[in-house]
Amino acid sequence: MKEKKIKALSGIPVLLLLLAALVVDVFMLIFAGQNKITWLLVVAIIMIPVLIIMLAGLFMVNPNESKVLQLFGKYIGTVADPGLRWANPFYGKKAVSLRVRNFESGQLKVNDSAGNPIEIATVVVWKVIDTAEAIFEVDDYESFVHIQTEAALRNLASAHPYESHNDEKITLRSDPQDIANLLQKEVQDRLDKAGVDVIEARISHLAYAQEIAASMLKRQQAQAVVAARTQIVAGAVGMVEIALEQLSSKQIIELDDERKAAMVSNLMVVLCGEENARPVINSGSLY
């Protein structure tokens, strides 16, 4: 079922006309009663409930809102023009907001693709673009948005790792924009049938579950230490190489292989050590 836009009469002229008719009918009622004109009295009495029923056809459409009209269960159309409107008083009128809304899911506990339990939550920005689908295709479109968003989030989280361990292309922690695009597409695919447009979907909370958070923190710290040590060693090797080249090219001192090995060892200890070096002055012969 697709939305069908219809035009409703402007309500202000209709309201003025009905009020004028109601005033005339009251005068008719008084005139017929005073002059004992039976047929006119009957007409005036019948016109009172008719005019009241006609007044019930007035309804208000707010900005960024639509009214879905139904007649005895049949979908008639949707009125989107804001202001006071008038339609058949027997039409059922249901308001549907077209404003942009946002929904934040609760923190869900799921397993990522590597089997690690994680906590994850999302914020989805959405709005209704087809009122007929929103009202008639699903039972409660707001509840439908919430449930399908959480289902899409669980599916996405289980399809990707929290962080890269085996050179995965996309991870939850390292690729937030790619994950947001995938999440938006998955949520949109689930909500198309409800006449909802997903403007944006982003991860609002991401963390390891409490039971493994401490272990994973140690792992991350170990990886950081290894990476730092690797860089320090690479820099120290370069500095040792430069020192040996400078000593050799400027002929400051001639060192045999054993002395070079001792010098390299001492320099590596100084450059790679975590504490400040404590030099020992050798006052004797080099050999």
Side-chain angles (χ1 to χ4, degrees):
M1 182 173 291
K2 295 296 183 181
E3 182 180 82
K4 180 172 64 175
K5 293 287 182 67
I6 62 172
K7 297 288 185 180
L9 295 176
S10 177
I12 294 178
V14 175
L15 176 61
L16 295 176
L17 180 62
L18 291 176
L19 290 177
L22 189 59
V23 171
V24 171
D25 188 66
V26 171
F27 280 109
M28 286 175 55
L29 187 63
I30 295 173
F31 178 79
Q34 291 176 346
N35 295 279
K36 296 182 180 180
I37 304 175
T38 305
W39 67 270
L40 186 59
L41 182 64
V42 172
V43 171
I45 293 173
I46 293 175
M47 285 299 296
I48 291 176
V50 171
L51 291 174
I52 293 175
I53 292 174
M54 295 292 286
L55 284 171
L58 293 168
F59 62 96
M60 185 73 69
V61 180
N62 297 314
N64 269 334
E65 182 184 74
S66 291
K67 287 290 179 69
V68 177
L69 307 183
Q70 290 179 264
L71 180 61
F72 306 127
K74 180 182 178 181
Y75 173 58
I76 301 301
T78 299
V79 178
D81 298 327
L84 184 63
R85 300 290 162 186
W86 185 89
N88 188 332
F90 294 101
Y91 284 168
K93 306 170 184 71
K94 186 174 180 63
V96 179
S97 174
L98 304 180
R99 298 180 180 91
V100 176
R101 289 180 261 186
N102 65 301
F103 159 67
E104 183 173 8
S105 70
Q107 293 183 12
L108 306 179
K109 187 175 180 180
V110 298
N111 292 334
D112 67 359
S113 62
N116 299 316
I118 62 173
E119 294 177 352
I120 190 170
T122 184
V123 173
V124 175
V125 182
W126 62 280
K127 68 176 181 177
V128 174
I129 58 174
D130 192 306
T131 57
E133 288 184 335
I135 295 299
F136 302 116
E137 292 293 341
V138 295
D139 187 43
D140 183 346
Y141 66 91
E142 291 188 17
S143 176
F144 189 79
V145 168
H146 297 175
I147 294 173
Q148 292 302 320
T149 296
E150 292 184 354
L153 181 61
R154 288 181 180 275
N155 187 57
L156 179 75
S158 63
H160 299 280
Y162 179 89
E163 57 186 350
S164 180
H165 300 304
N166 299 311
D167 296 328
E168 291 89 352
K169 293 183 178 179
I170 298 179
T171 62
L172 298 174
R173 188 173 69 115
S174 303
D175 304 284
Q177 187 58 52
D178 293 334
I179 291 296
N181 294 337
L182 291 174
L183 180 59
Q184 179 181 357
K185 183 179 183 304
E186 182 152 357
V187 175
Q188 183 65 71
D189 291 343
R190 293 170 179 264
L191 298 181
D192 275 340
K193 64 184 70 176
V196 171
D197 178 41
V198 179
I199 300 173
E200 184 182 18
R202 289 189 177 276
I203 302 298
S204 61
H205 173 79
L206 180 63
Y208 280 114
Q210 291 296 324
E211 57 266 30
I212 67 167
S215 299
M216 289 301 177
L217 178 60
K218 291 180 180 179
R219 178 177 182 174
Q220 292 173 354
Q221 290 174 340
Q223 290 176 340
V225 169
V226 170
R229 290 289 186 183
T230 301
Q231 188 170 1
I232 290 172
V233 170
V237 169
M239 293 175 68
V240 170
E241 183 179 0
I242 293 172
L244 293 175
E245 288 180 357
Q246 291 289 333
L247 290 173
S248 177
S249 62
K250 294 183 179 181
Q251 297 180 354
I252 296 174
I253 188 173
E254 292 293 337
L255 298 175
D256 57 18
D257 292 340
E258 182 179 353
R259 297 300 179 180
K260 286 182 180 180
M263 180 180 176
V264 169
S265 176
N266 292 334
L267 286 175
M268 293 297 291
V269 170
V270 171
L271 295 173
C272 298
E274 294 184 359
E275 298 181 357
N276 293 330
R278 298 178 180 178
V280 177
I281 298 176
N282 184 5
S283 60
S285 171
L286 181 62
Y287 294 95

